[in-house]
Amino acid sequence: EDQVTQSPEALRLQEGESSSLNCSYTVSGLRGLFWYRQDPGKGPEFLFTLYSAGEEKEKERLKATLTKKESFLHITAPKPEDSATYLCAVQSMNYGGATNKLIFGTGTLLAVQP
Amino acid sequence: GAGVSQSPSNKVTEKGKDVELRCDPISGHTALYWYRQSLGQGLEFLIYFQGNSAPDKSGLPSDRFSAERTGGSVSTLTIQRTQQEDSAVYLCASRSTWGLVADTQYFGPGTRLTVL
């Protein structure tokens, strides 16, 4: 069964204190791994898609990396406006091709203190 | 351009009543998804529409849940005889099926459903 586990559940950082969020996954075959940001009361906002081990993508203070078992979202010198819940999701492959749905983790709640 | 829109943003109903939730996808997106987000749980897939193909209903939790998509655009999720465990945020997402971002699902703001 496809599964996504995110850690830690919550993380509190001081402004400028870099850290990483973890997303471990188990899938029969990986089509893609997705990172989203979700602010309170809003829908998830797309950040990155990663397709193969070794791939990296960057956007401002965020960098996402992928291995065969997990993905990391690295946050460099975070600011208070980076405070949000970060969601990881996978889309798997089966004999018929890519499956239709994303399997989400429960997210990491990040709080950046000024 | 305009993103995915959903209405209403909040819905409070009494147990046993029927509710309808609406989703307007991004213009030109042929793929549309419904997910449910319950407190403390990850997003849970409900149903998927792609063009004129039969929808993938594999995530619907019971036969009280149904959805339709008219004209390949607007979608309505209907929950009949609502129960308290149906309380959640219902999220709609749409996806283009061509180009460099063909895999990316873009989400709407959600409808928060509260069943009293």
Side-chain angles (χ1 to χ4, degrees), chain B residues 36-48:
Chain B
R36 177 169 70 175
Q37 188 173 32
S38 303
L39 194 63
Q41 298 186 20
L43 276 75
E44 173 191 8
F45 167 79
L46 297 177
I47 189 169
Y48 163 68

Side-chain angles (χ1 to χ4, degrees), chain B residues 12-19 81-83 114-116:
Chain B
V12 180
T13 190
E14 294 179 347
K15 178 181 174 181
K17 301 282 189 181
D18 298 351
V19 295
R81 305 181 302 281
T82 52
Q83 303 295 312
T114 303
V115 182
L116 302 176

Side-chain angles (χ1 to χ4, degrees), chain B residues 60-73:
Chain B
L60 294 179
S62 77
D63 58 8
R64 296 187 295 104
F65 288 72
S66 63
E68 62 177 19
R69 189 177 185 190
T70 54
S73 182

Side-chain angles (χ1 to χ4, degrees), chain A residues 1-18:
Chain A
E1 181 181 347
D2 299 338
Q3 194 167 1
V4 177
T5 302
Q6 291 188 247
S7 62
E9 290 186 4
L11 180 63
R12 180 170 295 188
L13 300 174
Q14 292 296 314
E15 184 171 2
E17 179 186 2
S18 301

Side-chain angles (χ1 to χ4, degrees), chain A residues 9 16 27 33 35 41 45 48 50 64-65 69 78 81 87 104 111:
Chain A
E9 290 186 4
V27 292
L33 184 142
W35 282 98
E45 174 189 350
F48 304 109
L50 301 167
T65 62
K69 296 292 184 184
E81 53 261 43
L87 300 172
F104 280 85

